[in-house]
Amino acid sequence: MNKIILILAIISLSVKIIYAQNLHEAGGVVVGEHQATLPYVSLKVGNQIATMTNADGEFLLKYADAIRKDSLTISYIGYKTLKLSISGVHKDMKIQLTPSVVSLKEIVIRPVSAESIIRQAIKNIPENYDTRPFEMKGFYRETGKVDTSYISFAEASLNILSEGYKENSGKDKIVINKERNLKKLGEKEVNNPLNMTINGAPYTIIANDMAKNPVHILGRDYFKKYKFEIAGSVAIDGEEAYVIKFDQQDDLKEALYKGKMVILKSSYAIVSSDFALSPKGIAYAKADISFIARPVYSLMGYSFRKLNEEFSEQYVKINDKWYPYFYKIASVHHLKAKYKHLEGTLSVNAELFISKVNIPPQGNYEKIMSRGYVFKNYVTTYKDDYWGDYNFIKPTNSLKELAEKLQAN
């Protein structure tokens, strides 16, 4: 019996060693027309998102020998989908996508309105998105700063248990696999004059999922407050989609949004949405810094004025349902600290990339990340190999240069 156990242990160890030895890396940049880099491009292996490009169009892909015979599918809104053999990918690649030209004749001829398209998209949410619980494996990054003083530079590998796209669903749950916060460099602290920290931002991001919580823009009470228009048509993996632009009504004394949505013509699935505070109502915007951990600032002479708020999300089709693969949220406030004689711009940016979806969920969700959690595994150096075999979003050149600069100091 002991001999059998020993043999099994040796086999298990051998498998782990072989896997570690056969993990490969590829990477490079994805460009479009006129060699312009393309941000947030999805790169799929099979039905799963393997990685995506960052804001600079750069990507890093980690893969094992087991998938060398598979294909890498690169897709981006408005461009033709490209497939490459995994066996042919390498480091320092330059991948060029070709624009997909779509005729606008159908939009002119068909008697549809932008508002009717959006209403149908809302009606079709239970058909287009999974109403069952599912699990997402993701990579999260946040940065927070007051002018040039960083208050947070954190990253984490997360497991997210979603209750699905249905009304009155339970709250999503998050488990941390691994985390780091670039707060201390040797004996030198990253400058944080106000002692602020960012808390629970991943929960804030997923709570703003347009298809799951559409009320702020797509809710029945809000339709009359917006103007919608069909702005054009684009291709999504060979399918035609409407581009719907929206803005708040003129002379409305309220801070609402301006942006666009991409909605498939065939199924009315919302493929992406991007919006920010409308210039028309920015004067009525109220300070909202719900994910900034803070004392009672008003009693300490602190005041905030919102300057902007942005949100972006993209979905990917796996089998016959659509799932999120990228979220990005940004908030900008003017900050004044009366007693500290400090005034500046408070900026918070967070992004969440989903690399895998499991149906049904497979993870253990006993140790749940609290909704006020602050990433606090402080590190003194920024190294890409910290993540091991996790696929992650490459930091933009500006972020990486910042980390290297701080490390040098």
Side-chain angles (χ1 to χ4, degrees), residues 74-133:
I74 303 121
S75 59
Y76 192 67
I77 294 175
Y79 286 79
K80 293 180 180 178
T81 299
L82 177 66
K83 285 193 175 184
L84 301 174
S85 170
I86 291 288
S87 60
V89 300
H90 54 84
K91 292 184 178 180
D92 302 319
M93 298 179 69
K94 186 175 184 180
I95 300 172
Q96 182 160 9
L97 299 184
T98 304
S100 180
V101 179
V102 176
S103 172
L104 300 182
K105 291 182 180 179
E106 183 180 353
I107 294 178
V108 176
I109 296 173
R110 292 182 65 181
V112 295
S113 67
E115 185 173 324
S116 67
I117 292 169
I118 293 175
R119 288 185 183 276
Q120 190 64 46
I122 296 171
K123 183 179 179 181
N124 286 16
I125 285 175
E127 298 175 19
N128 289 321
Y129 306 88
D130 208 330
T131 57
R132 303 167 296 173

Side-chain angles (χ1 to χ4, degrees), residues 18-264:
I18 290 170
Y19 178 80
Q21 289 176 341
N22 292 307
L23 189 66
H24 307 281
E25 286 189 5
V29 63
V30 179
V31 300
E33 277 189 296
H34 312 300
Q35 301 299 304
T37 57
L38 301 178
Y40 314 122
V41 176
S42 72
L43 294 92
K44 293 171 61 177
V45 176
N47 282 331
Q48 296 286 358
I49 295 292
T51 189
M52 66 179 292
T53 63
N54 63 14
D56 296 330
E58 299 174 334
F59 72 95
L60 177 67
L61 173 67
K62 299 181 181 182
Y63 63 95
D65 279 339
I67 65 168
R68 286 184 70 87
K69 294 182 180 179
D70 290 341
S71 295
L72 179 67
T73 303
I74 303 121
S75 59
Y76 192 67
I77 294 175
Y79 286 79
K80 293 180 180 178
T81 299
L82 177 66
K83 285 193 175 184
L84 301 174
S85 170
I86 291 288
S87 60
V89 300
H90 54 84
K91 292 184 178 180
D92 302 319
M93 298 179 69
K94 186 175 184 180
I95 300 172
Q96 182 160 9
L97 299 184
T98 304
S100 180
V101 179
V102 176
S103 172
L104 300 182
K105 291 182 180 179
E106 183 180 353
I107 294 178
V108 176
I109 296 173
R110 292 182 65 181
V112 295
S113 67
E115 185 173 324
S116 67
I117 292 169
I118 293 175
R119 288 185 183 276
Q120 190 64 46
I122 296 171
K123 183 179 179 181
N124 286 16
I125 285 175
E127 298 175 19
N128 289 321
Y129 306 88
D130 208 330
T131 57
R132 303 167 296 173
F134 59 90
E135 177 183 71
M136 299 181 286
K137 293 183 176 291
F139 178 78
Y140 169 81
R141 176 181 287 124
E142 72 182 26
T143 60
K145 64 180 181 178
V146 177
D147 291 337
T148 58
S149 298
Y150 274 75
I151 62 175
S152 182
F153 190 108
E155 297 175 325
S157 169
L158 306 173
N159 278 12
I160 303 166
L161 177 61
S162 172
E163 294 297 327
Y165 288 85
K166 56 182 179 290
E167 289 188 27
N168 303 317
S169 61
K171 293 182 178 180
D172 295 337
K173 299 175 182 177
I174 298 176
V175 170
I176 301 171
N177 296 316
K178 197 172 184 180
E179 62 170 295
R180 66 177 174 185
N181 195 330
L182 192 67
K183 293 283 285 183
K184 191 174 182 181
L185 303 152
E187 295 301 317
K188 183 177 180 180
E189 298 282 345
V190 173
N191 187 21
N192 184 358
L194 303 176
N195 299 314
M196 290 181 175
T197 54
I198 299 173
N199 66 340
Y203 283 112
T204 302
I205 287 180
I206 58 179
N208 279 279
D209 189 312
M210 176 73 79
K212 196 168 188 178
N213 299 298
V215 293
H216 293 302
I217 292 178
L218 305 183
R220 294 183 182 90
D221 294 338
Y222 277 79
F223 271 102
K224 60 185 179 182
K225 296 183 179 182
Y226 282 98
K227 295 187 296 185
F228 301 94
E229 66 170 317
I230 301 175
S233 184
V234 294
I236 309 291
D237 292 337
E239 291 190 64
E240 285 191 60
Y242 296 106
V243 177
I244 307 294
K245 289 187 177 180
F246 58 90
D247 196 356
Q248 70 179 69
Q249 295 283 0
D250 298 333
D251 302 322
L252 187 66
K253 295 182 179 180
E254 190 174 349
L256 297 177
Y257 298 99
K258 177 181 181 179
K260 68 176 181 180
M261 287 177 283
V262 177
I263 300 174
L264 281 184

Side-chain angles (χ1 to χ4, degrees), residues 246-314:
F246 58 90
D247 196 356
Q248 70 179 69
Q249 295 283 0
D250 298 333
D251 302 322
L252 187 66
K253 295 182 179 180
E254 190 174 349
L256 297 177
Y257 298 99
K258 177 181 181 179
K260 68 176 181 180
M261 287 177 283
V262 177
I263 300 174
L264 281 184
K265 293 181 181 180
S266 58
S267 64
Y268 291 91
I270 302 171
V271 177
S272 71
S273 64
D274 300 271
F275 55 91
L277 283 177
S278 172
K280 295 179 182 179
I282 194 71
Y284 304 98
K286 296 180 180 179
D288 177 15
I289 48 175
S290 57
F291 47 81
I292 296 292
R294 61 202 186 281
V296 183
Y297 281 153
S298 59
L299 297 178
M300 300 179 66
Y302 289 53
S303 62
F304 298 88
R305 178 169 54 85
K306 182 178 284 188
L307 301 178
N308 198 15
E309 179 179 88
E310 298 178 1
F311 189 79
S312 299
E313 61 186 331
Q314 297 184 41

